Coordinates of all heavy atoms in Angstrom, one line a residue:
M199 N 101.0 -10.1 -46.2 CA 100.5 -10.7 -45.0 C 99.1 -10.3 -44.8 O 98.7 -9.1 -44.9 CB 101.4 -10.1 -43.8 CG 101.1 -10.7 -42.5 SD 102.0 -12.2 -42.3 CE 101.0 -13.1 -41.1
H200 N 98.2 -11.3 -44.6 CA 96.8 -11.0 -44.4 C 96.2 -12.0 -43.4 O 96.8 -13.1 -43.2 CB 96.0 -10.9 -45.7 CG 96.1 -12.2 -46.5 ND1 95.5 -13.4 -46.2 CD2 96.9 -12.5 -47.6 CE1 95.8 -14.3 -47.0 NE2 96.7 -13.8 -47.9
C201 N 95.1 -11.6 -42.9 CA 94.4 -12.5 -41.9 C 93.9 -13.8 -42.6 O 93.3 -13.7 -43.7 CB 93.2 -11.8 -41.4 SG 92.2 -12.8 -40.3
P202 N 94.3 -15.0 -42.0 CA 93.9 -16.2 -42.7 C 92.4 -16.5 -42.6 O 91.8 -17.4 -43.2 CB 94.7 -17.3 -41.9 CG 94.9 -16.6 -40.6 CD 95.1 -15.2 -40.8
D203 N 91.7 -15.7 -41.7 CA 90.3 -15.9 -41.5 C 89.4 -15.0 -42.3 O 88.5 -15.5 -43.0 CB 90.0 -15.7 -40.0 CG 88.7 -16.3 -39.6 OD1 88.6 -17.5 -39.7 OD2 87.8 -15.5 -39.2
C204 N 89.7 -13.7 -42.3 CA 88.9 -12.8 -43.0 C 89.6 -12.1 -44.2 O 89.1 -11.3 -44.9 CB 88.3 -11.7 -42.1 SG 89.5 -10.5 -41.5
Q205 N 90.9 -12.4 -44.4 CA 91.7 -11.9 -45.5 C 92.1 -10.4 -45.4 O 92.6 -9.8 -46.3 CB 91.1 -12.2 -46.9 CG 90.6 -13.6 -47.1 CD 91.7 -14.7 -46.9 OE1 92.8 -14.5 -47.3 NE2 91.5 -15.7 -46.1
S206 N 91.7 -9.8 -44.3 CA 92.0 -8.4 -44.1 C 93.5 -8.2 -44.0 O 94.3 -9.1 -43.5 CB 91.4 -7.9 -42.8 OG 91.9 -6.6 -42.4
Q207 N 94.0 -7.1 -44.4 CA 95.4 -6.7 -44.3 C 95.7 -5.8 -43.1 O 96.8 -5.4 -42.9 CB 95.9 -6.1 -45.5 CG 95.9 -7.1 -46.7 CD 96.6 -6.6 -47.9 OE1 96.8 -5.4 -48.1 NE2 97.1 -7.5 -48.8
Q208 N 94.7 -5.7 -42.3 CA 94.8 -4.8 -41.1 C 95.4 -5.7 -39.9 O 94.7 -6.1 -39.0 CB 93.5 -4.3 -40.6 CG 92.8 -3.4 -41.7 CD 93.7 -2.1 -41.9 OE1 94.1 -1.4 -41.0 NE2 94.0 -1.9 -43.2
I209 N 96.7 -6.0 -40.1 CA 97.3 -6.9 -39.1 C 98.3 -6.2 -38.3 O 99.1 -5.3 -38.8 CB 98.1 -8.1 -39.9 CG1 97.2 -8.7 -40.9 CG2 98.7 -9.0 -38.9 CD1 96.0 -9.4 -40.2
V210 N 98.4 -6.4 -37.0 CA 99.4 -5.9 -36.1 C 100.1 -7.0 -35.4 O 99.6 -8.0 -35.1 CB 98.8 -4.9 -35.0 CG1 98.2 -3.6 -35.8 CG2 97.7 -5.6 -34.2
K211 N 101.4 -6.7 -35.1 CA 102.2 -7.7 -34.4 C 101.7 -7.7 -32.9 O 101.3 -6.7 -32.4 CB 103.7 -7.4 -34.4 CG 104.2 -7.6 -35.8 CD 105.7 -7.4 -35.8 CE 106.3 -7.7 -37.2 NZ 107.8 -7.5 -37.3
N212 N 101.7 -9.0 -32.4 CA 101.1 -9.1 -31.1 C 101.9 -10.0 -30.2 O 101.5 -11.0 -29.6 CB 99.7 -9.7 -31.2 CG 98.9 -9.7 -30.0 OD1 99.0 -8.7 -29.2 ND2 98.1 -10.7 -29.7
G213 N 103.2 -9.7 -30.1 CA 104.1 -10.5 -29.3 C 104.6 -11.7 -29.9 O 104.3 -12.1 -31.1
K214 N 105.5 -12.5 -29.2 CA 106.1 -13.7 -29.8 C 105.9 -14.8 -28.7 O 105.8 -14.6 -27.6 CB 107.6 -13.5 -30.0 CG 107.8 -12.6 -31.2 CD 109.3 -12.6 -31.6 CE 109.5 -11.7 -32.8 NZ 111.0 -11.7 -33.2
I215 N 105.8 -16.0 -29.2 CA 105.8 -17.2 -28.4 C 106.9 -18.1 -28.8 O 107.4 -18.1 -29.9 CB 104.5 -18.0 -28.5 CG1 104.1 -18.3 -29.9 CG2 103.4 -17.2 -27.8 CD1 103.0 -19.3 -30.1
T216 N 107.4 -18.8 -27.8 CA 108.5 -19.8 -28.1 C 107.9 -21.2 -27.9 O 107.3 -21.6 -26.9 CB 109.6 -19.7 -27.1 OG1 110.2 -18.4 -27.2 CG2 110.7 -20.7 -27.4
L217 N 108.0 -22.0 -29.0 CA 107.4 -23.3 -29.0 C 108.2 -24.3 -28.2 O 109.4 -24.0 -27.9 CB 107.2 -23.8 -30.4 CG 106.3 -22.9 -31.3 CD1 106.1 -23.5 -32.6 CD2 104.9 -22.7 -30.6
Q218 N 107.7 -25.5 -28.0 CA 108.4 -26.6 -27.3 C 109.7 -26.9 -28.0 O 110.7 -27.3 -27.4 CB 107.6 -27.8 -27.2 CG 106.4 -27.6 -26.2 CD 105.5 -28.8 -26.1 OE1 105.5 -29.7 -27.0 NE2 104.8 -28.9 -25.0
D219 N 109.7 -26.8 -29.3 CA 111.0 -27.2 -30.0 C 112.0 -26.0 -30.1 O 113.0 -26.1 -30.7 CB 110.6 -27.6 -31.5 CG 109.9 -26.6 -32.2 OD1 110.0 -25.4 -31.9 OD2 109.1 -26.9 -33.2
G220 N 111.6 -24.9 -29.4 CA 112.6 -23.8 -29.3 C 112.4 -22.7 -30.4 O 113.0 -21.7 -30.4
A221 N 111.5 -23.0 -31.3 CA 111.3 -22.1 -32.4 C 110.5 -20.9 -31.9 O 109.6 -21.0 -31.2 CB 110.5 -22.7 -33.6
C222 N 110.9 -19.7 -32.4 CA 110.2 -18.5 -32.0 C 109.2 -18.1 -33.1 O 109.6 -18.0 -34.3 CB 111.2 -17.3 -31.8 SG 110.6 -16.0 -30.9
V223 N 108.0 -17.9 -32.7 CA 107.0 -17.7 -33.6 C 106.3 -16.3 -33.4 O 105.9 -16.0 -32.3 CB 105.8 -18.7 -33.6 CG1 104.7 -18.4 -34.5 CG2 106.4 -20.1 -33.9
Q224 N 106.2 -15.4 -34.4 CA 105.6 -14.1 -34.3 C 104.1 -14.3 -34.3 O 103.5 -15.0 -35.1 CB 106.0 -13.3 -35.5 CG 105.4 -11.9 -35.5 CD 105.9 -11.0 -34.4 OE1 107.1 -10.8 -34.3 NE2 105.0 -10.5 -33.6
K225 N 103.5 -13.6 -33.3 CA 102.0 -13.7 -33.2 C 101.5 -12.4 -33.8 O 102.1 -11.3 -33.7 CB 101.6 -13.8 -31.8 CG 101.9 -15.1 -31.2 CD 101.0 -15.5 -30.0 CE 101.1 -14.4 -28.9 NZ 100.3 -14.7 -27.8
Y226 N 100.3 -12.5 -34.3 CA 99.7 -11.3 -35.0 C 98.2 -11.2 -34.5 O 97.6 -12.2 -34.1 CB 99.6 -11.5 -36.5 CG 101.0 -11.5 -37.1 CD1 101.6 -12.8 -37.4 CD2 101.7 -10.4 -37.4 CE1 102.9 -12.9 -37.9 CE2 103.0 -10.4 -38.0 CZ 103.5 -11.7 -38.3 OH 104.8 -11.8 -38.8
L227 N 97.7 -10.0 -34.5 CA 96.3 -9.8 -34.2 C 95.6 -9.1 -35.4 O 96.1 -8.1 -36.0 CB 96.2 -8.9 -33.0 CG 94.8 -8.4 -32.6 CD1 93.9 -9.6 -32.1 CD2 94.9 -7.3 -31.5
C228 N 94.5 -9.6 -35.8 CA 93.7 -9.0 -36.9 C 92.8 -7.9 -36.3 O 92.0 -8.2 -35.4 CB 92.9 -10.0 -37.6 SG 91.8 -9.3 -38.9
K229 N 93.0 -6.7 -36.8 CA 92.2 -5.6 -36.3 C 90.8 -5.6 -36.8 O 89.9 -4.9 -36.4 CB 92.9 -4.2 -36.6 CG 94.2 -4.0 -35.8 CD 95.0 -2.9 -36.3 CE 94.4 -1.5 -36.0 NZ 95.3 -0.5 -36.4
S230 N 90.6 -6.4 -37.9 CA 89.3 -6.4 -38.5 C 88.3 -7.4 -37.7 O 87.2 -7.0 -37.3 CB 89.3 -6.8 -39.9 OG 90.0 -5.8 -40.7
C231 N 88.8 -8.6 -37.5 CA 88.0 -9.6 -36.9 C 88.4 -9.9 -35.5 O 87.8 -10.7 -34.8 CB 87.8 -10.9 -37.7 SG 89.4 -11.8 -37.9
R232 N 89.5 -9.3 -35.0 CA 90.1 -9.5 -33.6 C 90.6 -10.9 -33.4 O 90.8 -11.3 -32.3 CB 89.0 -9.2 -32.6 CG 88.3 -7.8 -32.8 CD 89.2 -6.7 -32.8 NE 90.0 -6.4 -31.6 CZ 90.9 -5.5 -31.4 NH1 91.3 -4.7 -32.4 NH2 91.5 -5.4 -30.2
K233 N 90.8 -11.7 -34.4 CA 91.4 -13.0 -34.2 C 92.9 -12.9 -34.1 O 93.5 -12.1 -34.8 CB 91.0 -13.9 -35.3 CG 89.5 -14.4 -35.2 CD 89.3 -15.7 -36.0 CE 87.8 -16.1 -35.8 NZ 87.5 -17.4 -36.4
Q234 N 93.4 -13.9 -33.3 CA 94.9 -14.0 -33.2 C 95.4 -15.1 -34.0 O 94.7 -16.2 -34.1 CB 95.3 -14.1 -31.8 CG 95.0 -12.9 -30.9 CD 95.6 -13.0 -29.5 OE1 96.8 -13.4 -29.3 NE2 94.8 -12.7 -28.5
F235 N 96.5 -15.0 -34.6 CA 97.1 -16.1 -35.3 C 98.7 -15.9 -35.3 O 99.1 -14.9 -34.8 CB 96.6 -16.2 -36.8 CG 96.8 -14.9 -37.6 CD1 97.8 -14.8 -38.5 CD2 95.9 -13.8 -37.4 CE1 98.0 -13.7 -39.2 CE2 96.0 -12.7 -38.2 CZ 97.1 -12.6 -39.1
N236 N 99.4 -16.8 -35.9 CA 100.8 -16.7 -35.9 C 101.4 -17.1 -37.3 O 100.7 -17.5 -38.1 CB 101.4 -17.4 -34.7 CG 101.2 -18.9 -34.8 OD1 101.4 -19.5 -35.8 ND2 100.6 -19.4 -33.7
D237 N 102.7 -17.1 -37.3 CA 103.4 -17.4 -38.5 C 103.0 -18.7 -39.1 O 103.1 -19.0 -40.3 CB 104.9 -17.4 -38.3 CG 105.5 -16.0 -38.3 OD1 104.8 -15.1 -38.9 OD2 106.5 -15.8 -37.8
R238 N 102.7 -19.6 -38.2 CA 102.4 -21.0 -38.7 C 101.0 -21.3 -38.9 O 100.6 -22.4 -39.5 CB 103.0 -22.0 -37.6 CG 104.5 -21.9 -37.4 CD 104.9 -23.1 -36.7 NE 106.4 -23.0 -36.4 CZ 107.1 -23.9 -35.9 NH1 106.6 -25.0 -35.5 NH2 108.4 -23.8 -35.7
T239 N 100.1 -20.4 -38.5 CA 98.7 -20.7 -38.7 C 98.4 -20.9 -40.1 O 98.8 -20.1 -41.0 CB 97.9 -19.4 -38.1 OG1 98.3 -19.2 -36.8 CG2 96.4 -19.7 -38.2
G240 N 97.6 -21.9 -40.4 CA 97.2 -22.1 -41.8 C 98.2 -22.9 -42.6 O 97.9 -23.3 -43.7
M241 N 99.4 -23.1 -42.1 CA 100.4 -23.8 -42.8 C 100.1 -25.3 -42.7 O 99.8 -25.8 -41.6 CB 101.9 -23.5 -42.4 CG 102.2 -22.1 -42.7 SD 103.9 -21.7 -42.1 CE 104.9 -22.8 -43.1
P242 N 100.3 -26.0 -43.8 CA 100.0 -27.5 -43.7 C 100.8 -28.3 -42.7 O 100.3 -29.3 -42.2 CB 100.2 -28.0 -45.2 CG 100.9 -26.8 -45.8 CD 100.7 -25.6 -45.1
M243 N 102.0 -27.8 -42.4 CA 102.8 -28.6 -41.5 C 102.8 -28.1 -40.1 O 103.6 -28.5 -39.3 CB 104.3 -28.6 -42.1 CG 104.4 -29.3 -43.4 SD 106.0 -29.3 -44.1 CE 106.7 -30.7 -43.1
A244 N 102.0 -27.1 -39.8 CA 102.0 -26.5 -38.5 C 101.9 -27.4 -37.4 O 102.5 -27.3 -36.3 CB 100.9 -25.4 -38.4
R245 N 101.0 -28.4 -37.6 CA 100.8 -29.3 -36.4 C 101.9 -30.3 -36.1 O 101.9 -30.9 -35.1 CB 99.5 -30.2 -36.8 CG 98.2 -29.3 -36.7 CD 97.0 -30.2 -37.1 NE 95.9 -29.4 -37.3 CZ 94.7 -29.8 -37.8 NH1 94.6 -31.1 -38.2 NH2 93.7 -29.0 -37.9
L246 N 102.9 -30.4 -37.0 CA 104.0 -31.3 -36.7 C 104.9 -30.7 -35.7 O 105.8 -31.4 -35.2 CB 104.7 -31.6 -38.0 CG 103.9 -32.3 -39.1 CD1 104.8 -32.5 -40.3 CD2 103.4 -33.6 -38.6
R247 N 104.8 -29.4 -35.4 CA 105.7 -28.7 -34.5 C 107.2 -28.9 -34.8 O 108.0 -29.1 -33.9 CB 105.4 -29.2 -33.0 CG 104.1 -28.8 -32.5 CD 103.8 -29.3 -31.1 NE 102.6 -28.7 -30.6 CZ 102.5 -27.6 -29.9 NH1 103.6 -26.9 -29.7 NH2 101.4 -27.1 -29.5
T248 N 107.5 -29.0 -36.1 CA 108.9 -29.1 -36.5 C 109.5 -27.7 -36.4 O 108.9 -26.7 -36.6 CB 109.0 -29.7 -37.9 OG1 108.2 -28.9 -38.7 CG2 108.6 -31.1 -37.9
P249 N 110.9 -27.7 -36.2 CA 111.6 -26.4 -36.3 C 111.2 -25.7 -37.6 O 111.1 -26.3 -38.6 CB 113.0 -26.8 -36.2 CG 113.0 -28.1 -35.5 CD 111.7 -28.8 -35.9
S250 N 111.1 -24.4 -37.5 CA 110.7 -23.6 -38.7 C 111.7 -23.8 -39.9 O 111.3 -23.7 -41.0 CB 110.5 -22.2 -38.4 OG 111.6 -21.6 -37.8
A251 N 112.9 -24.0 -39.5 CA 113.9 -24.3 -40.6 C 113.6 -25.5 -41.4 O 113.7 -25.5 -42.7 CB 115.3 -24.5 -40.0
I252 N 113.1 -26.5 -40.8 CA 112.7 -27.7 -41.5 C 111.4 -27.5 -42.3 O 111.3 -27.9 -43.4 CB 112.5 -28.9 -40.5 CG1 113.9 -29.3 -39.9 CG2 111.9 -30.1 -41.2 CD1 113.9 -30.5 -39.0
V253 N 110.5 -26.8 -41.7 CA 109.3 -26.4 -42.4 C 109.6 -25.7 -43.7 O 109.1 -26.0 -44.8 CB 108.3 -25.6 -41.5 CG1 107.1 -25.1 -42.4 CG2 107.9 -26.4 -40.3
T254 N 110.5 -24.7 -43.5 CA 110.9 -23.9 -44.7 C 111.5 -24.8 -45.7 O 111.2 -24.7 -46.9 CB 111.8 -22.8 -44.3 OG1 111.2 -22.0 -43.3 CG2 112.2 -21.9 -45.5
L255 N 112.4 -25.6 -45.3 CA 113.1 -26.5 -46.2 C 112.1 -27.4 -46.9 O 112.3 -27.6 -48.2 CB 114.2 -27.3 -45.5 CG 115.2 -28.0 -46.4 CD1 116.1 -27.0 -47.1 CD2 116.0 -29.0 -45.5
A256 N 111.3 -28.0 -46.2 CA 110.2 -28.9 -46.7 C 109.4 -28.2 -47.8 O 109.1 -28.7 -48.9 CB 109.3 -29.4 -45.7
M257 N 109.1 -26.9 -47.6 CA 108.3 -26.1 -48.6 C 109.2 -26.0 -49.8 O 108.7 -26.1 -50.9 CB 108.0 -24.8 -48.0 CG 107.0 -24.8 -46.9 SD 105.4 -25.6 -47.3 CE 104.5 -25.5 -45.8
N258 N 110.4 -25.7 -49.6 CA 111.3 -25.4 -50.7 C 111.4 -26.7 -51.6 O 111.4 -26.7 -52.8 CB 112.7 -25.0 -50.3 CG 112.7 -23.6 -49.7 OD1 111.7 -22.8 -50.0 ND2 113.7 -23.2 -49.0
V259 N 111.6 -27.8 -50.9 CA 111.7 -29.1 -51.6 C 110.5 -29.4 -52.4 O 110.6 -29.8 -53.6 CB 112.0 -30.2 -50.6 CG1 111.9 -31.6 -51.3 CG2 113.4 -30.1 -50.0
R260 N 109.3 -29.1 -51.8 CA 108.1 -29.4 -52.5 C 107.9 -28.5 -53.7 O 107.4 -29.0 -54.7 CB 106.9 -29.2 -51.5 CG 106.9 -30.3 -50.4 CD 105.7 -30.2 -49.5 NE 104.5 -30.5 -50.3 CZ 103.3 -30.7 -49.8 NH1 103.2 -30.5 -48.5 NH2 102.3 -30.9 -50.5
T261 N 108.3 -27.3 -53.5 CA 108.1 -26.4 -54.7 C 109.1 -26.7 -55.8 O 108.9 -26.3 -56.9 CB 108.3 -24.9 -54.3 OG1 109.5 -24.7 -53.6 CG2 107.1 -24.4 -53.4
E262 N 110.1 -27.4 -55.4 CA 111.1 -27.8 -56.5 C 110.6 -29.1 -57.3 O 111.4 -29.6 -58.1 CB 112.5 -28.0 -55.9 CG 113.2 -26.7 -55.7 CD 114.4 -26.9 -54.8 OE1 114.8 -28.0 -54.6 OE2 114.9 -25.9 -54.2
G263 N 109.5 -29.5 -57.0 CA 108.9 -30.6 -57.8 C 108.9 -31.9 -57.2 O 108.4 -32.9 -57.9
M264 N 109.4 -32.1 -56.0 CA 109.4 -33.4 -55.4 C 108.0 -33.7 -54.9 O 107.3 -32.8 -54.4 CB 110.4 -33.5 -54.3 CG 111.8 -33.6 -54.8 SD 113.0 -33.6 -53.4 CE 112.7 -35.3 -52.8
G265 N 107.6 -34.9 -54.9 CA 106.3 -35.3 -54.3 C 106.4 -35.4 -52.8 O 107.5 -35.3 -52.3
V266 N 105.3 -35.6 -52.2 CA 105.3 -35.7 -50.7 C 106.2 -36.9 -50.3 O 106.9 -36.8 -49.3 CB 103.8 -35.9 -50.2 CG1 103.8 -36.1 -48.7 CG2 103.0 -34.7 -50.6
R267 N 106.1 -38.0 -51.0 CA 106.9 -39.1 -50.6 C 108.4 -38.8 -50.7 O 109.2 -39.2 -49.8 CB 106.6 -40.3 -51.5 CG 105.3 -41.0 -51.1 CD 105.1 -42.3 -51.8 NE 103.8 -43.0 -51.5 CZ 103.5 -44.2 -51.9 NH1 104.4 -44.8 -52.7 NH2 102.4 -44.7 -51.5
G268 N 108.8 -38.2 -51.8 CA 110.2 -37.8 -51.9 C 110.6 -36.9 -50.8 O 111.7 -37.0 -50.3
T269 N 109.8 -36.0 -50.4 CA 110.1 -35.1 -49.4 C 110.3 -35.8 -48.1 O 111.4 -35.6 -47.4 CB 108.9 -34.1 -49.1 OG1 108.6 -33.4 -50.4 CG2 109.3 -33.0 -48.1
G270 N 109.5 -36.7 -47.7 CA 109.6 -37.5 -46.5 C 110.9 -38.3 -46.5 O 111.6 -38.3 -45.5
R271 N 111.3 -38.9 -47.7 CA 112.5 -39.7 -47.7 C 113.7 -38.8 -47.5 O 114.6 -39.2 -46.7 CB 112.5 -40.4 -49.1 CG 112.6 -41.9 -49.0 CD 112.7 -42.6 -50.3 NE 111.5 -42.4 -51.1 CZ 111.5 -41.9 -52.3 NH1 112.6 -41.5 -52.9 NH2 110.4 -41.8 -53.0
S272 N 113.8 -37.7 -48.1 CA 115.0 -36.9 -47.9 C 115.1 -36.4 -46.5 O 116.2 -36.2 -46.0 CB 114.9 -35.7 -48.9 OG 113.8 -35.0 -48.8
F273 N 114.0 -36.2 -45.8 CA 114.0 -35.8 -44.4 C 114.5 -36.9 -43.5 O 115.1 -36.7 -42.5 CB 112.7 -35.2 -44.0 CG 112.5 -33.8 -44.4 CD1 111.7 -33.5 -45.4 CD2 113.4 -32.9 -43.9 CE1 111.6 -32.2 -45.8 CE2 113.4 -31.6 -44.3 CZ 112.5 -31.2 -45.3
G274 N 114.1 -38.1 -43.9 CA 114.5 -39.3 -43.1 C 116.1 -39.3 -43.1 O 116.7 -39.7 -42.1
K275 N 116.7 -39.0 -44.2 CA 118.2 -39.0 -44.2 C 118.8 -37.8 -43.5 O 119.8 -38.0 -42.9 CB 118.6 -39.0 -45.7 CG 118.4 -40.3 -46.4 CD 118.9 -40.2 -47.8 CE 118.6 -41.5 -48.6 NZ 118.9 -41.3 -50.0
S276 N 118.3 -36.7 -43.7 CA 119.0 -35.5 -43.3 C 118.4 -34.8 -42.0 O 118.8 -33.7 -41.7 CB 119.0 -34.4 -44.4 OG 117.7 -34.2 -44.8
H277 N 117.5 -35.4 -41.4 CA 116.8 -34.8 -40.3 C 117.8 -34.3 -39.2 O 117.7 -33.2 -38.8 CB 115.8 -35.8 -39.7 CG 114.9 -35.2 -38.7 ND1 113.7 -34.5 -39.1 CD2 114.9 -35.1 -37.3 CE1 113.1 -34.0 -38.0 NE2 113.7 -34.4 -36.9
S278 N 118.6 -35.2 -38.7 CA 119.5 -34.8 -37.6 C 120.5 -33.8 -38.1 O 121.0 -32.9 -37.3 CB 120.3 -36.1 -37.1 OG 121.0 -36.7 -38.1
T279 N 121.0 -33.8 -39.3 CA 121.9 -32.8 -39.8 C 121.3 -31.4 -39.8 O 121.9 -30.5 -39.4 CB 122.2 -33.1 -41.3 OG1 122.7 -34.5 -41.4 CG2 123.4 -32.2 -41.8
I280 N 120.0 -31.4 -40.2 CA 119.3 -30.1 -40.2 C 119.2 -29.5 -38.8 O 119.4 -28.4 -38.5 CB 117.9 -30.2 -40.8 CG1 118.1 -30.7 -42.3 CG2 117.2 -28.9 -40.8 CD1 116.8 -31.2 -42.9
I281 N 118.9 -30.4 -37.8 CA 118.7 -30.0 -36.4 C 120.0 -29.3 -35.9 O 120.0 -28.3 -35.3 CB 118.4 -31.2 -35.5 CG1 117.1 -31.8 -36.0 CG2 118.3 -30.7 -34.1 CD1 115.8 -31.3 -35.3
R282 N 121.1 -30.0 -36.2 CA 122.4 -29.4 -35.7 C 122.7 -28.1 -36.4 O 123.3 -27.2 -35.8 CB 123.5 -30.5 -36.0 CG 123.9 -31.3 -34.7 CD 125.0 -32.2 -35.0 NE 124.5 -33.5 -35.4 CZ 124.8 -34.1 -36.5 NH1 125.6 -33.5 -37.4 NH2 124.3 -35.3 -36.8
A283 N 122.4 -28.0 -37.7 CA 122.7 -26.7 -38.3 C 121.7 -25.6 -37.9 O 122.0 -24.8 -37.2 CB 122.5 -26.9 -39.8
Ligands
ZN319 ZN1 90.7 -11.2 -39.7

């Protein structure tokens, strides 16, 4: 774990926030540059505000060698199933 801004490892936990989709996100404070960030900061899919389970799954799918298009297609099929689980 390091600061996405200055790469410092002087990170402290700084409370939690609950997003609109109900996902709980850990917030952090960088003691070096005093910037705040959270678990999703810097992640490519952060702006989509998808539940973190889907984000994680999407990452796994992508690391397993599927292209971006393939990832999107598999989510089109299984989106509601993932939400329920
Ligand atoms: Zn920093």
Side-chain angles (χ1 to χ4, degrees):
M199 190 81 205
H200 57 75
C201 175
D203 198 63
C204 71
Q205 311 303 316
S206 167
Q207 294 189 338
Q208 300 296 310
I209 306 299
V210 292
K211 290 187 177 180
N212 191 37
K214 289 185 177 181
I215 52 170
T216 302
L217 302 181
Q218 290 178 339
D219 58 28
C222 195
V223 176
Q224 177 69 55
K225 292 202 301 180
Y226 299 93
L227 174 68
C228 175
K229 290 168 75 176
S230 294
C231 67
R232 310 302 296 176
K233 285 202 175 183
Q234 292 186 49
F235 57 99
N236 62 52
D237 281 338
R238 296 194 183 187
T239 305
M241 293 179 66
M243 298 182 76
R245 289 179 188 168
L246 295 181
R247 291 181 175 270
T248 51
S250 52
I252 292 185
V253 174
T254 304
L255 191 68
M257 291 301 180
N258 289 342
V259 170
R260 292 186 63 173
T261 51
E262 280 167 16
M264 290 179 67
V266 176
R267 283 191 180 186
T269 306
R271 239 183 291 123
S272 52
F273 278 111
K275 282 181 186 171
S276 56
H277 193 79
S278 57
T279 309
I280 298 167
I281 298 266
R282 259 183 268 119

